[in-house]
Amino acid sequence: ALLPYVPHVPPAALPGKITATTFTLERPHCIFDRHANASDTVWLVVALANASAAFQNPPCQAAVPPYERLPSAHSYMTLETAAAAFACSALSPAVLRVGDDTACGAQGGRDPCNGPLPSPGPYRVKFLVMSCHGPKAETRWSDPILLRTAGSPSTIDPSPTRRGSDTVVVASLLASLAAALAVVALGAVGYGGCVGRGMHPSYRTHHIPPALPQPLPPGSGCRCGCSPPPPGCFAPHPPRPCPAK
């Protein structure tokens, strides 16, 4: 039986009514009572808009197209629910969420599930009443439902904000200060071995680059004065006189 009901997104404002991977449908109420028994189930058929016309209702529940079929066949069935949940006497939520089961496909199974929608669409949906012998009744296809997409890169303001400009200025000042301190430190190291009159002695840095070998003590067998000296051997150099004042 073809029912006159048309599935649709609720007109009221709802949080997350349409997202990039999900959308909300109004739950049918008192629609299947005359066509479904207590043992029947109601499925939601989800298809890309251009594939809804070619969709074939499965002859039995064993032939229900699973969620994993969407990329190749562009349609699948989900939200298997007892027909009693849509009866006039049923106390059930007013909406259905399509695509909110993020665990779909995680175990590699092919059971029908309510997984996230992989593209913006548009999609069309319909409800299908199934018994153990096959389809019994169906609604009409919905109007196309288009999901939300990310904003265009052209909408991003390329100019930095006030806070960002202040951050750049502070970073520039810190870099200049660090450079000035480095120059002062190098000057102090250059005069580290000289003690002039009326001046306090300065000290050399104790940092020695790890790549440079350490000189061996006298009498250790190193033939200093050889040309070139073997590794670890340094030829003695006379101490450099202090610059004249």
Side-chain angles (χ1 to χ4, degrees), residues 67-68 101-111 113:
Y67 167 73
E68 288 79 10
D101 187 0
T102 57
C104 280
Q107 304 299 327
R110 295 184 60 83
D111 294 333
C113 62

Side-chain angles (χ1 to χ4, degrees), residues 5 7-28 44 79 93-100 114 117 125 127 142-143 145-147:
Y5 180 80
H8 58 275
V9 175
L14 297 173
K17 182 168 63 174
I18 295 180
T19 71
T21 58
T22 66
F23 62 88
T24 300
L25 286 176
E26 189 172 87
R27 177 186 287 268
L44 179 69
L79 293 179
V95 296
L96 298 171
R97 172 68 69 178
V98 181
D100 67 343
N114 186 27
L117 299 169
V125 298
F127 290 94
S142 70
D143 292 331
I145 301 173
L146 184 66
L147 303 186

Side-chain angles (χ1 to χ4, degrees), residues 186-195 202 204 236-244:
L186 290 176
V189 170
Y191 291 95
C194 175
V195 180
S202 58
R204 292 184 183 273
H237 292 282
R240 185 179 57 180
C242 295

Side-chain angles (χ1 to χ4, degrees), residues 83-226:
F86 300 95
C88 294
S89 59
L91 298 176
S92 54
V95 296
L96 298 171
R97 172 68 69 178
V98 181
D100 67 343
D101 187 0
T102 57
C104 280
Q107 304 299 327
R110 295 184 60 83
D111 294 333
C113 62
N114 186 27
L117 299 169
S119 69
Y123 297 93
R124 290 181 186 268
V125 298
K126 72 176 181 178
F127 290 94
L128 180 63
V129 181
M130 296 277 292
S131 70
C132 58
H133 302 291
K136 295 179 63 174
E138 66 181 354
T139 68
R140 298 182 182 274
W141 287 101
S142 70
D143 292 331
I145 301 173
L146 184 66
L147 303 186
R148 296 185 182 275
T149 56
S152 172
S154 61
T155 61
I156 300 175
D157 185 9
S159 60
T161 61
R162 177 69 180 175
R163 180 178 181 180
S165 300
D166 293 343
T167 303
V168 172
V169 171
V170 171
S172 178
L173 292 176
L174 291 177
S176 300
L177 180 60
L181 291 176
V183 171
V184 174
L186 290 176
V189 170
Y191 291 95
C194 175
V195 180
R197 297 178 181 178
M199 298 177 57
H200 296 286
S202 58
Y203 300 94
R204 292 184 183 273
T205 176
H206 292 283
H207 172 71
I208 300 176
L212 297 178
Q214 298 292 331
L216 298 178
S220 59
C222 176
R223 294 176 299 171
C224 294
C226 55

